[in-house]
Structures are given as structure tokens and as C-alpha cells.
């Protein structure tokens, strides 16, 4: 290129200035130079008549190449382009932020020890903060495995009063950048957020660490994002046959997500089945669908291959027997009606179901049916305690197919003399007999029959196998599948 030409000189300066803020791959750099070199050769042949055309064409070529770099190396937008039409796309909130002009470029570029930390994109609203972070090595290649957010590394979020309101983690899902997010179960009430990165170590756990300083700090103004927040009061209430009243409350639509709120309340009879704080251990199962019956998102279904876009959820006690629930989803239709459909719920209740057997007679599997659940005992043994204190404990091997939930089950064991012992459950769980078009069918499998790996009921303190052993399920995570109830949301 002839750098005595003022147009060439300006193009070089433009390229250099862009390179300050952008890590340009070698192939793109070569493409730029090749384009300008080609134009230069044409200029040597017909310098004066083509000078203006050459300058304009060179600028257009440079803008095109740099535009290509910004689309395909700036990670978030590259991901959006590849999956633009997926309604459950993890970047749909970022796409909306881009449409509204709310993607912030903090111009973060920190170099140390041969590594460059770059942040060109960040989005914040009351729902979440999202940051696309890249880490380049000496060759300008993004290193996806070098950064771990474990002590001392941390990225924190602060509100406009300086209070820490969250910390970021890497969602993964892409090789192009570290997809850093912080979700908020309660919408932020602030006019700005500050993102502070304290990065002092690079490297995986099994390799020598690289000590350095890649700290950064920037803020995002939230005023415009806050203006985009829209509230919609919901209506609809239903009382189930077993004493739970479910009331839809509010929908909060924000830039990067939609917050859905409802309340549940148990009547006196239902509370009597869950004394103390047992009633607080609940789970709701529901889904959203279009008016054509197409699934949008599901929460806690037994369905095979369900749609999931939950960002965060929260629930809290607001009165005796009454709870407030909130769920933030990446997407819910904005300009067309859809339905909320209740699929079921679970509440932890007192049980007392007993499984009694003589271990010496357990030469063949023995099956028990308790509250729509099937428990199969396949053997007992005396093994070294997992506490590591050198003692022994009794182990019962078990399979099962459970209609009820398993998150909060509580078992105890009694020996022949009636002495009571704790029971620790070890093993795997999986859904079986689920269907692709039904949110309620299916069971929870205890153990894996395919690999012949039963679960273990380990009984610490029971250092000899008794003549008779009684297993008692003191509390059950009771699942209710009531008549289907739905509400049209417009």
C-alpha cells in the first residue's frame, strides 16, 4: 500500500484505531490488507480517475470487514443470529435488549501475563445482568477453559447505594465467550448497577495457576431499562379437592425476562396433615401453552422432553398456610393470548407407612405398596460406616417406583427391641414411564434396574443385623394430581 497517499494514511489510522478495541482474527486482518492492497494496485494503473472511487470503496470494504468481525466475533450477537427463531433461546432477552438499544459496551480490555480480558457487551435490567466476557491468549485465541469463578476470582453486582445484590456465574452453553449472568429473584430497585470483577488467577485446578491482575469495574445505567418494565395484574383462583387454593397475582414484563407471581393457601384440614413447618415444603407443577395447545414452558412436570426457560424462582411464607411464589422466565408471549395450566402440586405431610421384614428371610425380593408407591427390598448387609469412625452399619438395598415426590421424604428404622435409628438414603433417582404429550404421567424410579444398582438405606448405629427390621416413612412428599385447571392470559 502506498502510504504517501492521504487516503491510505487515513485508512491505516482507522484500522489501527479499530484494532485498539477489537481483537481481529488473523484471517480477517489478512482480508483487510488484501482488499486494500488490491485497491492500491488498481490505483497505480489509473491513479487520478479512480482516486475518489478507490477511497470510497476502501472505506466501504473496511467497514464491511470490521462489521463482519463485530457480528461473528462479538459473541452474544453471533449466538443470537444462529438461534434467532428459537422462542426458548437463552439469548432472547439479549435480542430484545438489542432491539431496544440497551446493550452496553463498557470498553473493558485488561492485559496481564500474556492474557487479555475483554468485555464488549453487557445488559442489565431488574431481572438479570448479562455480560459477554472473552479471554484471549498471546495468539489472540479465545481461551474458554482458563477462567474459573472460584476464590479469589469473583464478579459482583452492586446497586446505586453500593450494596452487593448478586454475583455472576458462567452459564456455559457457548464456546465463543464466557456467558456471565446474575439472576434476581426480586426485581432490582435501582437506577444503576456496578459490575466489579476481581480476577487474580487463571488456570484449571489440575494445572499450574497464572497469577496476575485482570480486575475491572464499570456501571450500567438502568433508567431506560426500568422504563421498559410493565406490570399486569392477573385474575383467576382455584381450590383443589385437597384443600389448596391457588390465586394468580401479577405478571412483570422486563427487558430480559418475565416474572410470574401467584399465591397458595392451605385450609385447616390440609394444614393438619402438615404440622409444624412441614407445610412450607411445597412444589408446584404447571405449564404454559398457546391457545392451540402448544407447550411454551413447563415447571416440574413428569413430561418427557419438556420445554424449560426458567431463570430463577422464589417462594416465601406470608401468613400461616399462605405462600407467595415468583418465577422468572426468559419468554412469555406478549402480543397473543396463552394459558396457565395447573398440573399438580406436592406438600410434605406426616405419613407413618411401615415396611416390616426379617432380613434372614430376604432371600427373594419383597415388595410393599404404600400410598401409591412401590418399595422393593432386595437384600441387607453389614458394612463399614461411611462416617469413617471404624464402626459398622446395616444397609438395606432397595428399588422403588414412586408416585409421590422424593425431595423431602423422611425415613426411620426400628430394630427388634424397638430402638429408633436414622436412615440415610444413597443412590440415584430418575423419571420412568413418562410421555412426550402428558405433563402428569410417570413415576420416580429408586435405583437403576438396568444396571442392577439399587439404592441404599444406610442405618448408622445399627451395628448388627437384627432379627426383625422395621422401616417407617415418617413424612411423605405427597403429590396431588387434581382435575386440570387453566386460566387464559391475554
Amino acid at each position: 500500500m502506498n502510504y504517501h497517499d492521504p487516503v491510505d494514511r487515513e485508512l491505516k489510522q482507522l484500522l489501527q484505531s479499530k484494532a485498539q478495541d477489537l481483537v481481529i482474527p488473523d484471517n480477517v486482518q489478512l482480508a483487510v490488507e488484501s482488499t486494500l492492497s488490491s485497491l492500491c494496485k488498481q490505483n497505480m494503473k489509473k491513479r487520478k480517475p479512480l482516486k475518489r472511487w478507490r477511497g470510497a470503496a476502501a472505506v466501504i470494504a473496511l467497514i464491511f470487514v470490521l462489521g463482519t468481525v463485530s457480528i461473528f466475533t462479538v459473541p452474544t450477537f453471533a449466538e443470537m443470529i444462529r438461534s434467532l427463531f428459537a422462542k426458548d433461546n437463552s439469548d432472547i432477552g439479549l435480542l430484545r435488549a438489542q432491539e431496544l438499544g440497551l446493550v452496553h459496551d463498557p470498553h473493558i480490555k485488561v492485559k496481564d501475563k500474556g492474557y487479555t480480558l475483554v468485555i464488549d457487551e453487557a445488559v442489565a435490567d431488574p431481572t438479570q445482568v448479562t455480560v459477554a466476557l472473552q479471554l484471549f491468549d498471546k495468539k489472540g485465541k479465545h481461551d474458554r477453559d482458563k477462567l474459573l469463578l472460584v476464590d479469589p476470582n469473583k464478579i459482583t453486582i452492586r446497586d446505586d447505594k453500593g450494596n452487593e445484590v448478586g454475583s455472576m456465574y458462567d452459564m456455559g452453553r457457548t464456546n465463543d465467550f464466557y456467558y456471565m449472568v446474575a439472576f434476581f429473584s426480586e426485581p432490582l430497585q435501582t437506577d444503576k448497577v456496578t459490575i466489579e470483577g476481581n480476577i487474580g488467577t487463571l488456570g484449571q485446578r489440575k494445572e499450574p495457576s497464572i497469577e496476575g491482575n485482570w480486575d475491572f469495574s464499570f456501571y450500567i445505567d438502568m433508567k431506560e431499562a426500568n422504563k421498559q418494565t410493565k406490570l399486569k395484574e392477573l385474575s383467576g383462583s382455584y381450590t383443589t379437592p385437597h384443600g389448596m387454593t391457588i390465586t394468580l397475582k401479577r405478571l412483570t414484563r422486563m427487558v430480559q425476562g418475565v416474572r410470574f407471581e401467584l399465591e397458595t393457601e392451605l385450609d385447616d384440614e390440609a394444614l393438619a396433615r402438615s404440622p409444624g413447618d412441614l407445610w412450607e415444603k411445597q412444589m408446584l407443577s404447571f405449564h404454559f401453552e398457546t391457545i392451540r395447545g402448544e407447550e411454551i414452558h413447563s415447571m416440574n412436570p413428569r413430561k418427557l422432553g419438556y420445554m424449560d426457560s426458567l431463570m430463577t424462582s422464589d417462594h416465601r411464607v406470608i401468613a400461616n398456610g399462605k405462600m407467595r411464589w415468583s418465577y422468572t422466565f426468559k419468554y412469555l408471549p406478549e402480543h397473543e393470548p396463552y394459558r396457565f395450566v395447573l398440573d399438580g402440586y406436592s406438600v410434605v405431610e406426616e405419613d407413618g407407612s411401615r415396611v416390616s421384614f426379617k432380613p434372614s428371610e430376604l432371600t427373594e425380593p419383597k415388595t410393599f405398596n404404600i400410598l401409591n408407591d412401590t418399595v422393593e427390598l432386595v437384600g441387607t448387609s453389614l458394612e463399614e460406616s461411611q462416617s469413617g469412625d471404624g464402626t459398622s452399619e446395616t444397609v438395606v438395598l432397595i428399588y422403588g417406583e414412586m408416585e409421590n415426590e422424593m425431595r423431602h421424604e423422611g425415613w426411620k428404622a426400628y430394630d427388634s427391641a424397638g430402638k429408633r435409628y436414622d436412615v440415610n438414603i444413597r443412590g440415584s433417582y430418575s423419571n420412568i414411564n413418562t410421555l412426550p404429550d402428558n405433563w402428569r404421567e410417570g413415576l420416580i424410579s429408586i435405583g437403576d434396574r438396568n444396571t442392577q444398582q439399587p439404592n441404599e438405606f444406610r442405618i448408622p448405629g445399627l451395628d448388627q443385623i437384627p432379627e426383625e427390621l422395621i422401616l417407617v416413612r415418617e413424612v411423605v412428599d405427597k403429590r396431588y394430581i387434581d382435575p386440570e385447571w387453566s386460566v387464559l392470559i391475554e
Side-chain angles (χ1 to χ4, degrees), residues 393-413:
E393 60 188 26
T394 298
V395 178
V396 181
L397 302 180
I398 184 171
Y399 288 113
E401 284 78 40
M402 317 297 282
E403 166 67 30
N404 294 300
E405 298 293 340
M406 293 293 298
R407 298 185 309 161
H408 300 293
E409 274 207 341
W411 290 79
K412 297 295 181 182

Short mmCIF file of all heavy atoms in Angstrom, two decimals, residues 393-413:
data_model
loop_
_atom_site.label_atom_id
_atom_site.label_comp_id
_atom_site.label_asym_id
_atom_site.label_seq_id
_atom_site.Cartn_x
_atom_site.Cartn_y
_atom_site.Cartn_z
N GLU A 393 -22.46 -50.48 60.03
CA GLU A 393 -23.85 -50.07 59.95
C GLU A 393 -24.61 -51.01 59.02
O GLU A 393 -24.04 -51.60 58.10
CB GLU A 393 -23.98 -48.63 59.47
CG GLU A 393 -23.39 -48.35 58.09
CD GLU A 393 -23.37 -46.86 57.76
OE1 GLU A 393 -23.33 -46.04 58.69
OE2 GLU A 393 -23.37 -46.53 56.56
N THR A 394 -25.90 -51.14 59.29
CA THR A 394 -26.74 -52.02 58.48
C THR A 394 -27.17 -51.28 57.22
O THR A 394 -27.52 -50.10 57.26
CB THR A 394 -27.98 -52.46 59.28
OG1 THR A 394 -27.55 -53.21 60.42
CG2 THR A 394 -28.91 -53.31 58.43
N VAL A 395 -27.15 -52.01 56.11
CA VAL A 395 -27.52 -51.44 54.81
C VAL A 395 -28.64 -52.28 54.21
O VAL A 395 -28.53 -53.51 54.15
CB VAL A 395 -26.33 -51.39 53.84
CG1 VAL A 395 -26.76 -50.84 52.48
CG2 VAL A 395 -25.20 -50.53 54.42
N VAL A 396 -29.72 -51.62 53.79
CA VAL A 396 -30.83 -52.28 53.11
C VAL A 396 -30.81 -51.83 51.65
O VAL A 396 -30.82 -50.63 51.36
CB VAL A 396 -32.18 -51.93 53.75
CG1 VAL A 396 -33.32 -52.65 53.03
CG2 VAL A 396 -32.18 -52.28 55.24
N LEU A 397 -30.79 -52.80 50.73
CA LEU A 397 -30.80 -52.49 49.30
C LEU A 397 -32.24 -52.43 48.82
O LEU A 397 -33.06 -53.29 49.15
CB LEU A 397 -30.03 -53.55 48.52
CG LEU A 397 -28.55 -53.74 48.93
CD1 LEU A 397 -27.89 -54.81 48.08
CD2 LEU A 397 -27.79 -52.42 48.82
N ILE A 398 -32.54 -51.39 48.01
CA ILE A 398 -33.94 -51.13 47.71
C ILE A 398 -34.11 -50.58 46.29
O ILE A 398 -33.28 -49.80 45.80
CB ILE A 398 -34.52 -50.13 48.75
CG1 ILE A 398 -36.01 -49.91 48.52
CG2 ILE A 398 -33.77 -48.82 48.74
CD1 ILE A 398 -36.66 -49.11 49.63
N TYR A 399 -35.16 -51.03 45.62
CA TYR A 399 -35.66 -50.42 44.39
C TYR A 399 -37.05 -49.85 44.70
O TYR A 399 -37.67 -50.18 45.71
CB TYR A 399 -35.79 -51.44 43.26
CG TYR A 399 -34.49 -51.93 42.68
CD1 TYR A 399 -34.09 -53.26 42.84
CD2 TYR A 399 -33.68 -51.08 41.94
CE1 TYR A 399 -32.91 -53.73 42.28
CE2 TYR A 399 -32.49 -51.54 41.38
CZ TYR A 399 -32.11 -52.86 41.55
OH TYR A 399 -30.94 -53.32 41.00
N GLY A 400 -37.55 -49.00 43.80
CA GLY A 400 -38.90 -48.49 44.00
C GLY A 400 -39.41 -47.71 42.82
O GLY A 400 -38.63 -47.24 41.97
N GLU A 401 -40.72 -47.61 42.73
CA GLU A 401 -41.39 -46.75 41.74
C GLU A 401 -42.36 -45.87 42.51
O GLU A 401 -43.33 -46.37 43.09
CB GLU A 401 -42.13 -47.59 40.68
CG GLU A 401 -41.23 -48.23 39.64
CD GLU A 401 -40.52 -49.47 40.16
OE1 GLU A 401 -41.18 -50.25 40.88
OE2 GLU A 401 -39.32 -49.65 39.86
N MET A 402 -42.10 -44.58 42.51
CA MET A 402 -42.81 -43.67 43.40
C MET A 402 -43.72 -42.73 42.63
O MET A 402 -43.28 -42.02 41.72
CB MET A 402 -41.80 -42.85 44.22
CG MET A 402 -40.62 -43.65 44.77
SD MET A 402 -41.12 -44.92 45.95
CE MET A 402 -41.38 -43.90 47.39
N GLU A 403 -44.99 -42.71 43.03
CA GLU A 403 -45.92 -41.70 42.53
C GLU A 403 -45.66 -40.36 43.23
O GLU A 403 -45.74 -39.30 42.61
CB GLU A 403 -47.37 -42.16 42.77
CG GLU A 403 -48.41 -41.07 42.59
CD GLU A 403 -48.54 -40.59 41.16
OE1 GLU A 403 -48.28 -41.39 40.23
OE2 GLU A 403 -48.87 -39.41 40.97
N ASN A 404 -45.33 -40.40 44.50
CA ASN A 404 -45.06 -39.19 45.27
C ASN A 404 -43.66 -38.66 44.97
O ASN A 404 -42.82 -39.36 44.40
CB ASN A 404 -45.23 -39.47 46.76
CG ASN A 404 -46.67 -39.79 47.11
OD1 ASN A 404 -47.56 -38.98 46.89
ND2 ASN A 404 -46.91 -41.00 47.61
N GLU A 405 -43.43 -37.41 45.36
CA GLU A 405 -42.12 -36.80 45.15
C GLU A 405 -41.12 -37.36 46.15
O GLU A 405 -41.49 -38.00 47.14
CB GLU A 405 -42.22 -35.29 45.27
CG GLU A 405 -43.14 -34.62 44.25
CD GLU A 405 -42.62 -34.72 42.84
OE1 GLU A 405 -41.40 -34.95 42.66
OE2 GLU A 405 -43.42 -34.56 41.90
N MET A 406 -39.82 -37.08 45.90
CA MET A 406 -38.77 -37.66 46.73
C MET A 406 -37.88 -36.63 47.42
O MET A 406 -36.96 -36.99 48.14
CB MET A 406 -37.88 -38.57 45.86
CG MET A 406 -38.58 -39.80 45.33
SD MET A 406 -39.01 -40.95 46.65
CE MET A 406 -37.39 -41.37 47.28
N ARG A 407 -38.16 -35.35 47.21
CA ARG A 407 -37.21 -34.33 47.70
C ARG A 407 -37.15 -34.25 49.22
O ARG A 407 -36.10 -33.93 49.78
CB ARG A 407 -37.58 -32.96 47.13
CG ARG A 407 -37.51 -32.87 45.61
CD ARG A 407 -37.77 -31.46 45.14
NE ARG A 407 -38.99 -30.92 45.72
CZ ARG A 407 -39.27 -29.62 45.78
NH1 ARG A 407 -38.39 -28.73 45.34
NH2 ARG A 407 -40.41 -29.20 46.29
N HIS A 408 -38.27 -34.51 49.90
CA HIS A 408 -38.31 -34.28 51.34
C HIS A 408 -38.78 -35.52 52.12
O HIS A 408 -39.24 -35.38 53.25
CB HIS A 408 -39.24 -33.11 51.66
CG HIS A 408 -38.81 -31.82 51.03
ND1 HIS A 408 -37.67 -31.14 51.39
CD2 HIS A 408 -39.39 -31.09 50.04
CE1 HIS A 408 -37.56 -30.05 50.67
NE2 HIS A 408 -38.58 -29.99 49.84
N GLU A 409 -38.67 -36.69 51.53
CA GLU A 409 -39.06 -37.90 52.27
C GLU A 409 -38.18 -38.09 53.50
O GLU A 409 -36.99 -37.76 53.48
CB GLU A 409 -38.92 -39.13 51.37
CG GLU A 409 -40.14 -39.41 50.53
CD GLU A 409 -40.26 -40.88 50.20
OE1 GLU A 409 -39.25 -41.60 50.29
OE2 GLU A 409 -41.35 -41.31 49.87
N GLY A 410 -38.76 -38.64 54.55
CA GLY A 410 -38.01 -38.90 55.77
C GLY A 410 -38.32 -40.28 56.33
O GLY A 410 -39.48 -40.58 56.62
N TRP A 411 -37.29 -41.11 56.46
CA TRP A 411 -37.44 -42.48 56.95
C TRP A 411 -36.70 -42.67 58.28
O TRP A 411 -35.68 -42.02 58.52
CB TRP A 411 -36.87 -43.48 55.95
CG TRP A 411 -37.67 -43.62 54.67
CD1 TRP A 411 -37.66 -42.76 53.61
CD2 TRP A 411 -38.57 -44.67 54.33
NE1 TRP A 411 -38.50 -43.22 52.62
CE2 TRP A 411 -39.08 -44.40 53.04
CE3 TRP A 411 -39.00 -45.83 54.99
CZ2 TRP A 411 -39.98 -45.23 52.40
CZ3 TRP A 411 -39.91 -46.67 54.34
CH2 TRP A 411 -40.39 -46.36 53.07
N LYS A 412 -37.22 -43.57 59.11
CA LYS A 412 -36.55 -44.02 60.32
C LYS A 412 -36.59 -45.55 60.35
O LYS A 412 -37.40 -46.18 59.67
CB LYS A 412 -37.23 -43.47 61.58
CG LYS A 412 -37.20 -41.95 61.69
CD LYS A 412 -35.79 -41.40 61.86
CE LYS A 412 -35.82 -39.88 62.00
NZ LYS A 412 -34.44 -39.31 62.12
N ALA A 413 -35.69 -46.13 61.14
CA ALA A 413 -35.63 -47.60 61.27
C ALA A 413 -35.77 -47.99 62.73
O ALA A 413 -35.34 -47.25 63.64
CB ALA A 413 -34.31 -48.12 60.70
#
